[in-house]
Amino acid sequence: MKVNGSHFETIWLKKNDHRVVQIIDQRYLPFAFRIEDIATVDAMIEAIRDMHLRGAPLIGAAATLGMYLALLRAPGDEDIDAYIDKVASRLKSTRPTAVNLAFAVDNIVCGIHAQKGHKAKTAWALEAAMQYIATERLNSIKIGEYGLTLIEQASRKSGGDPVNILTHCNAGWLACIDYGTATAPVYMAHDRGIKVHVVVDETRPRNQGARLTAWELRQQGVPFTLVVDNAGGYMMQQGMIDMVLVGSDRTSPYGDVVNKIGTYLKALAAFDNNVPFYAALPSSTIDWSLGEGSGETPIEERGPKEITTMEGLAGDQVVEVSIVPDDTPVANFGFDITPARLVTALITEKGITKANYKQIKRLFNEENNAGSGL
């Protein structure tokens, strides 16, 4: 996708030094566009944990490159396989809810252990990481192509008027490698001249909608309107929303969708107002071990500062302000679970499927970890 007219992806190897990984540092958006150099696995762990980068497909990719960085600088006095297992455990603990992270790490560790010698392990890790990135890039494109058909149908139904699409959090290219999941169909529709208008939830507490989704839509020239999180239900009641399109951090084979906190409320409002609710996701986001209801999913609880403070631009300086007294009790759940009964369909790189076990199993032929690219 484009940033100030130039193509960027979210993660790549530094051009003249493949011992360094570069990322778009999302902490500074939309106020500044900065690229961060990451040269060690410790730095990658910090980047994932503290959300220098975020989004289920992207953190899976970052973790695979983190394993590569760990091998580049592995200590010479430690058993290499034992060292790799310790690094893998640290990476997986950074963000427990997004299943892409654990799947990507487990798969690459398995392959690393199969190689003989440090040099061979390092070379294989790099190749596997780049293949993972290529696969997730292609997955987003395919998700976009399948999702485009739904927007085309809505456009025909509206007689060519703009299709109004409500989204929550950021499931755009900043959360993936390129194109995104929920935004990929939007970008493709816009590029084909189909009129679309995206209603962007601000997405408290970290404001990924306001700070990331709105920013990237502006970069691509896609019409959008920013609204507070609680406006979605009213807008659906008033017929102002044609569909809800979100991403997913973990999806059960029964069709339950784990996504950014607040997604469940959007799904309830959509169901009550007969508005289609779609979740767009690559198969690497499906956790085949989950039972019906996704109750086993670890829901990440983050620190209170994300709720008690906000960042904004004051003049030409980004400042942080407190919005409540410092001793205010806080509960900061990062995700919620939308039950399959509220999900109209899942949009994947394999096609569009109803959110139920029979249809999902048929689409993926029960391929555990499908689409991991490893």
Side-chain angles (χ1 to χ4, degrees):
M1 306 304 293
K2 297 293 181 67
V3 178
N4 299 324
S6 298
H7 178 258
F8 275 88
E9 293 186 347
T10 51
I11 191 166
W12 63 94
L13 295 177
K14 192 170 184 177
K15 185 175 181 180
N16 297 318
D17 185 1
H18 286 185
R19 296 170 60 87
V20 176
V21 175
Q22 293 187 302
I23 65 167
I24 297 171
D25 193 334
Q26 299 180 20
R27 294 173 298 169
Y28 298 98
L29 291 172
F31 309 117
F33 181 76
R34 297 186 183 180
I35 293 171
E36 180 181 3
D37 285 2
I38 299 176
T40 67
V41 68
D42 289 340
M44 185 64 81
I45 286 170
E46 179 184 347
I48 296 171
R49 183 189 60 236
D50 296 344
M51 290 190 176
H52 305 197
L53 54 84
R54 47 150 306 282
L58 176 55
I59 64 176
T64 62
L65 283 170
M67 296 301 301
Y68 161 66
L69 293 175
L71 279 161
L72 278 178
R73 295 164 177 83
D77 59 349
E78 188 172 348
D79 177 82
I80 190 67
D81 286 329
Y83 166 73
I84 285 301
D85 288 339
K86 285 195 294 186
V87 169
S89 180
R90 291 178 62 207
L91 278 164
K92 288 193 293 183
S93 71
T94 55
R95 300 294 307 280
T97 299
V99 74
N100 308 58
L101 173 61
F103 280 174
V105 170
D106 287 343
N107 279 324
I108 199 169
V109 166
C110 183
I112 290 170
H113 284 329
Q115 311 305 310
K116 296 192 179 300
H118 188 177
K119 185 175 181 179
K121 291 177 185 293
T122 305
W124 190 90
L126 176 58
E127 182 180 355
M130 299 313 292
Q131 180 58 49
Y132 184 96
I133 289 170
T135 298
E136 290 294 4
R137 180 190 301 114
L138 182 59
N139 285 347
S140 287
I141 293 171
K142 289 180 177 178
I143 288 168
E145 291 170 345
Y146 284 115
L148 173 62
T149 63
L150 299 174
I151 297 177
E152 288 174 331
Q153 292 170 11
S155 178
R156 289 193 293 269
K157 184 177 179 181
S158 72
D161 289 340
V163 179
N164 294 294
I165 303 167
L166 175 68
T167 192
H168 186 67
C169 195
N170 177 260
W173 71 272
L174 288 168
C176 301
I177 305 301
D178 210 346
Y179 280 95
T181 52
T183 58
V186 174
Y187 292 136
M188 291 187 179
H190 177 71
D191 289 346
R192 296 193 184 191
I194 298 171
K195 294 179 181 177
V196 291
H197 172 251
V198 183
V199 178
V200 181
D201 274 354
E202 60 184 346
T203 321
R204 284 281 289 149
R206 290 188 64 93
N207 292 316
Q208 293 102 320
R211 297 186 63 166
L212 302 180
T213 304
W215 178 82
E216 64 173 78
L217 289 170
R218 183 188 296 275
Q219 292 290 324
Q220 310 308 317
V222 177
F224 71 92
T225 300
L226 179 67
V227 299
V228 299
D229 289 354
N230 294 328
Y234 169 76
M235 296 182 75
M236 290 185 226
Q237 284 180 327
Q238 299 303 310
M240 301 167 70
I241 304 296
D242 297 305
M243 67 174 70
V244 180
L245 186 50
V246 301
S248 175
D249 289 84
R250 187 183 297 231
T251 303
S252 82
Y254 295 87
D256 309 295
V257 173
V258 182
N259 196 50
K260 173 70 178 181
I261 194 78
T263 303
Y264 173 47
L265 297 180
K266 296 299 180 295
L268 283 171
F271 185 82
D272 194 49
N273 290 280
N274 296 312
V275 174
F277 178 96
Y278 302 108
L281 54 115
S283 51
S284 54
T285 303
I286 299 176
D287 183 351
W288 295 94
S289 71
L290 287 178
E292 192 167 7
S294 300
E296 311 97 308
T297 300
I299 298 298
E300 181 179 355
E301 294 188 50
R302 298 183 59 80
K305 189 176 179 181
E306 293 180 351
I307 291 180
T308 61
T309 67
M310 293 187 72
E311 284 186 342
L313 194 65
D316 58 355
Q317 297 293 317
V318 177
V319 298
E320 180 182 274
V321 297
S322 295
I323 60 173
V324 294
D326 291 341
D327 60 352
T328 302
V330 170
N332 184 11
F333 302 102
F335 302 87
D336 60 24
I337 303 170
T338 299
R341 64 182 176 83
L342 301 177
V343 180
T344 305
L346 305 177
I347 309 168
T348 80
E349 84 277 9
K350 300 285 188 180
I352 300 172
T353 177
K354 292 292 185 182
N356 63 62
Y357 182 78
K358 182 178 180 180
Q359 295 298 319
I360 294 171
K361 180 179 177 181
R362 178 181 298 169
L363 182 65
F364 289 98
N365 194 27
E366 209 174 47
E367 295 177 6
N368 288 356
N369 303 345
S372 68
L374 302 179

